[in-house]
Amino acid sequence: MFISLEELKLHRIQVKKTYEVGALDYHSDDFRQIGALNVEATAELLGSEIRIWGHLGTRLEAVCDRCLRPVELPAETDFDLAYRPIESIAREEEVEISPDELEVGFYAGEGIDLADVVTEQVNLFMPMKVVCRADCRGLCPVCGTDLNVTSCRCRTVASDSPFASLLGG
Ligand SMILES: [Zn+2]
Ligand SMILES: [Zn+2]
């Protein structure tokens, strides 16, 4: 769904859209969308700046960093974004970054594709590290046993143990 400058010049645009699984390309191997993504947003033109704010919700699946099992992550996030024309950088216009938390991006051409806004927000939502639960014990680094399920006979010290450094990591 394309939000065009042409239309924004006339009025605010309110969008409500559902992206089914597979409809969006997140350019990431770290997670995938496993439920429909619903987004509601309002776009407005302020001078040459496009403001877009709203809410999106979906379900994502990533892999636990420790035990490699799939983890389902409900994703609900609000966004409030501003996009300036890319030419405003080239012309070295004075760009006043607002003091609030507003994120500023840039657009090129005749507007913004809502899909780009959504995929960027989902990527930002993803945590750097995903764990299935805070106390996930992970896999034994020696034999690969899932230590949440069973124990093994390897004598290893978990790397987050205070004794790990004594053993040289
Ligand atoms: Zn885990
Ligand atoms: Zn083991």
Side-chain angles (χ1 to χ4, degrees):
M1 148 126 221
F2 194 74
I3 298 170
S4 77
L5 274 180
E6 208 57 28
E7 196 178 344
L8 280 173
K9 279 174 187 162
L10 305 174
H11 53 81
R12 268 188 178 193
I13 298 176
Q14 288 200 315
V15 290
K16 198 170 176 179
K17 179 146 176 72
T18 298
Y19 292 98
E20 298 298 339
V21 172
L24 295 168
D25 183 359
Y26 293 101
H27 302 286
S28 173
D29 298 325
D30 297 337
F31 65 91
R32 63 195 184 94
Q33 183 188 329
I34 56 169
L37 182 149
N38 295 299
V39 57
E40 282 189 55
T42 305
E44 182 175 70
L45 194 63
L46 291 169
S48 59
E49 183 176 285
I50 300 175
R51 283 285 298 270
I52 300 183
W53 65 95
H55 180 89
L56 68 84
T58 187
R59 286 187 302 128
L60 305 172
E61 187 185 82
V63 166
C64 173
D65 264 18
R66 296 185 197 154
C67 71
L68 308 181
R69 273 190 290 192
V71 184
E72 194 178 316
L73 300 164
E76 295 283 338
T77 184
D78 290 321
F79 51 89
D80 186 356
L81 310 159
Y83 293 89
R84 301 200 168 120
I86 195 87
E87 304 87 55
S88 68
I89 309 179
R91 277 191 262 114
E92 288 186 36
E93 279 177 1
E94 260 188 45
V95 177
E96 285 178 36
I97 305 293
S98 17
D100 55 31
E101 294 296 291
L102 197 69
E103 294 171 63
V104 177
F106 295 92
Y107 69 91
E110 292 309 305
I112 293 181
D113 194 336
L114 182 65
D116 292 340
V117 174
V118 167
T119 52
E120 189 186 359
Q121 291 309 302
V122 171
N123 270 291
L124 289 171
F125 174 85
M126 280 299 297
M128 292 293 286
K129 273 192 179 293
V130 174
V131 286
C132 59
R133 54 175 210 248
D135 63 348
C136 172
R137 305 179 67 167
L139 305 179
C140 168
V142 178
C143 70
T145 292
D146 186 340
L147 300 173
N148 296 306
V149 178
T150 179
S151 55
C152 62
R153 294 176 163 274
C154 307
R155 287 174 176 269
T156 58
V157 178
S159 59
D160 56 355
S161 153
F163 302 109
S165 59
L166 297 176
L167 299 175

